[in-house]
Amino acid sequence: MAVMDEFKEERDKIKNGTFKEKWKYFWDYYHWHVIGGTLGLIAVIWIVFDVTHQDESVLFVELLNCATVYDDSEYVSSVEEFIGVEKGQSLTIEAGLDVTEDTEEYTSFELLAVRLAARELDVMVADEETLCGYAEEDALIDLTTVMSEEQLERYSDYFYYIDYALIESGYYEDEELTYEDMLFEGTAGHVSPEDMEQPIAVGVYISTTDEPGSYVCTSAEFNKNYYYSEEAVFSVMYYSEHVEAALQFLDFICGYAS
């Protein structure tokens, strides 16, 4: 029998068959289309639901290379109250990502890369070496341009500077340049703007010890929830749309929650 005749006979059979026969024919030939289409529809619905029902972020803080307590929810709630987070809004303090050079936690690097690509982060707190990598990429706000006069008076002695002239010259683009080289040459970020051609204040040194030394000391409540083994630097990402909340967070962790 010719193929067309077989096709015509099969079509007539289905046309005049029972509902059960029609359904069996349809399922036998099209079940993968149905399954694929259903899964696709579910995915679309899930994405739409996730986007339309997601709380508006008012602040996302990343505490890099930091030890944290198991449950910091009480502290986060205190920050939310201070900043004034309302229903339908969210504030995130994420700690525990380890992106030091000797770590094997590659997931931390991947997750941080995703956060940065999505422009989720508003605040980054990290050790000098880690933060320097982002400062030299011109990824941090010059805090002198966004702080109030009161905050400038409060934090100016603890600013972390980087030389913008070196960024413009392409100095940091040398792939063979190491952090140790920069320390030796005095070109890493540091606290002495008088040694720079175009100093910009991209961070604030903070300390989590009882002896702040030459650094502004964080509050005891912060220290109970998050711990840095050495001084760390607070910074705000250049693309942040929540700069006011970011600076409020700085005031809070440094004990100015009044």
Side-chain angles (χ1 to χ4, degrees):
M1 183 182 293
V3 175
M4 288 304 296
D5 292 337
E6 289 182 2
F7 175 77
K8 184 176 183 300
E9 181 178 329
E10 190 69 21
R11 186 185 61 183
D12 291 339
K13 184 189 300 184
I14 297 304
K15 182 178 179 181
N16 299 316
T18 64
F19 174 80
K20 186 177 180 179
E21 290 172 334
K22 291 179 179 180
W23 173 252
K24 183 178 183 304
Y25 175 84
F26 174 80
W27 184 251
D28 286 344
Y29 284 90
Y30 297 104
H31 66 280
W32 288 117
H33 297 78
V34 173
I35 293 172
T38 302
L39 292 176
L41 180 60
I42 291 173
V44 170
I45 292 174
W46 183 85
I47 292 172
V48 171
F49 181 86
D50 184 61
V51 171
T52 57
H53 290 74
Q54 195 173 49
D55 288 344
E56 175 195 2
S57 176
V58 296
L59 189 66
F60 196 119
V61 177
E62 191 70 70
L63 305 177
L64 290 175
N65 310 331
C66 169
T68 179
V69 297
Y70 178 73
D71 183 6
D72 62 349
S73 57
E74 187 174 339
Y75 185 79
V76 174
S77 295
S78 298
V79 179
E80 290 176 337
E81 183 178 355
F82 178 68
I83 291 179
V85 178
E86 301 176 350
K87 185 177 180 180
Q89 297 178 327
S90 67
L91 180 146
T92 302
I93 300 178
E94 185 171 78
L97 294 189
D98 185 356
V99 294
T100 52
E101 283 191 1
D102 56 350
T103 184
E104 295 183 356
E105 293 292 333
Y106 298 112
T107 303
S108 292
F109 287 98
E110 293 172 355
L111 184 55
L112 180 60
V114 170
R115 299 278 192 231
L116 291 169
R119 297 194 169 192
E120 287 184 325
L121 303 189
D122 296 298
V123 170
M124 181 183 291
V125 179
D127 56 275
E128 288 180 285
E129 181 174 357
T130 298
L131 198 76
C132 185
Y134 297 97
E136 66 192 39
E137 292 291 334
D138 198 17
L140 308 175
I141 281 180
D142 180 352
L143 295 175
T144 63
T145 65
V146 294
M147 280 186 169
S148 66
E149 290 185 9
E150 182 181 12
Q151 288 170 326
L152 287 171
E153 183 177 353
R154 182 178 293 163
Y155 299 115
S156 60
D157 289 339
Y158 314 107
F159 280 151
Y160 169 91
Y161 293 92
I162 195 164
D163 195 340
Y164 192 72
L166 294 177
I167 296 176
E168 288 189 312
S169 69
Y171 169 82
Y172 296 111
E173 296 175 10
D174 183 353
E175 295 182 359
E176 296 183 359
L177 183 68
T178 67
Y179 186 69
E180 288 71 25
D181 292 334
M182 288 187 280
L183 289 177
F184 180 77
E185 296 174 9
T187 52
H190 51 76
V191 74
S192 304
E194 60 272 11
D195 297 333
M196 300 178 180
E197 183 179 342
Q198 291 181 254
I200 53 174
V202 295
V204 173
Y205 281 99
I206 62 174
S207 169
T208 56
T209 67
D210 294 330
E211 299 293 335
S214 59
Y215 306 102
V216 60
C217 192
T218 47
S219 67
E221 285 301 311
F222 180 88
N223 299 346
K224 285 194 298 185
N225 286 273
Y226 312 102
Y227 175 74
Y228 282 95
S229 59
E230 56 184 309
E231 66 272 9
V233 184
F234 169 99
S235 62
V236 181
M237 308 308 294
Y238 83 95
Y239 56 72
S240 174
E241 297 179 355
H242 309 118
V243 175
E244 182 178 352
L247 296 179
Q248 284 181 292
F249 178 70
L250 176 62
D251 285 342
F252 188 88
I253 66 176
C254 290
Y256 297 101
S258 59

